Amino acid sequence: MINVVLYQPEKPQNTGNIMRTCVATNSFLHIIGPLTFSLDEKALKRAGMDYIQELNYRYYSSLEEFLKYLGKRKIYYITRYGYKSPDEVDLSHVEENVFVMFGKESSGIPHELLRNNLDFCLRLPMMPSARSLNLSNCVAIVVYEILRQQHYYGLATYEAIKGKDFLIEENKHEK
């Protein structure tokens, strides 16, 4: 399972979008506080829509609490200071839990944590003059790279709600 870890997210809209991505991709969300907003805030619900009711997540009051939970499991850190991109790491093992941490919008992941884990720091390639991408976009890019490597295991690759042949059937009724 993919485990998205948010370190002290600051914008409820981003967090709501990430919640929606996690539900749509069957990913587990770990949120490390403290937060500058409430998890029941209106903007959070607006961005996450009705998906939030189906979200699997856990809140940690501190980084130390999360690291205790994590134990000796491997975690990747998405940071502008990484030397490899996510496609350079083998994340294809569906049976393994993949943990990926994303930092707060204003300052990222604590530098000491990154320095102590340089081999697990990954970077999304971008123009040299760009500092960063939007947090919810970064999560979506990385989650879908992991899913690509796992051949979208467990996800529908066709329209499951309206039916696989919805466009064909709709076209027949219009004539």
Side-chain angles (χ1 to χ4, degrees), residues 21-40:
T21 297
C22 286
V23 170
T25 59
N26 195 34
S27 300
F28 195 95
L29 180 61
H30 303 264
I31 302 172
I32 301 170
L35 299 177
T36 59
F37 58 89
S38 166
L39 287 175
D40 60 2

Side-chain angles (χ1 to χ4, degrees), residues 4-158:
V4 172
V5 181
L6 300 181
Y7 174 75
Q8 299 181 351
E10 299 166 314
K11 298 184 179 179
Q13 298 86 346
N14 280 336
T15 303
N17 286 333
I18 292 164
M19 289 174 157
R20 188 174 178 180
T21 297
C22 286
V23 170
T25 59
N26 195 34
S27 300
F28 195 95
L29 180 61
H30 303 264
I31 302 172
I32 301 170
L35 299 177
T36 59
F37 58 89
S38 166
L39 287 175
D40 60 2
E41 196 167 296
K42 187 177 179 181
L44 182 76
K45 289 181 179 176
R46 183 171 48 247
M49 298 175 50
D50 58 343
Y51 289 87
I52 293 176
Q53 299 163 357
E54 300 173 39
L55 177 68
N56 292 311
Y57 81 100
R58 183 169 173 186
Y59 176 81
Y60 306 84
S61 59
S62 67
L63 178 60
E64 293 72 28
E65 182 184 347
F66 170 75
L67 292 174
K68 184 177 178 183
Y69 164 81
L70 185 66
K72 297 200 181 286
R73 290 178 279 197
K74 181 174 20 176
I75 184 168
Y76 293 96
Y77 303 89
I78 305 302
T79 172
R80 65 195 270 192
Y81 306 112
Y83 298 114
K84 294 185 254 181
S85 61
D87 66 304
E88 296 179 81
V89 177
D90 183 5
L91 303 166
S92 64
H93 307 291
V94 174
E95 66 280 353
E96 292 179 14
N97 276 312
V98 177
F99 286 84
V100 186
M101 182 183 284
F102 300 83
K104 63 165 97 177
E105 289 91 338
S106 65
S107 58
I109 299 168
H111 293 173
E112 181 180 354
L113 187 58
L114 297 176
R115 271 193 292 278
N116 293 335
N117 295 283
L118 283 174
D119 290 342
F120 296 98
C121 291
L122 304 177
R123 174 186 173 81
L124 291 176
M126 62 184 92
M127 293 300 296
S129 59
R131 287 188 321 275
S132 64
L133 294 168
N134 173 276
L135 178 61
S136 63
N137 291 341
C138 289
V139 170
I141 291 166
V142 172
V143 166
Y144 270 90
E145 170 56 24
I146 297 168
L147 289 168
R148 183 195 66 77
Q149 289 187 31
Q150 296 177 353
H151 304 286
Y152 304 101
Y153 179 80
L155 299 184
T157 56
Y158 57 87

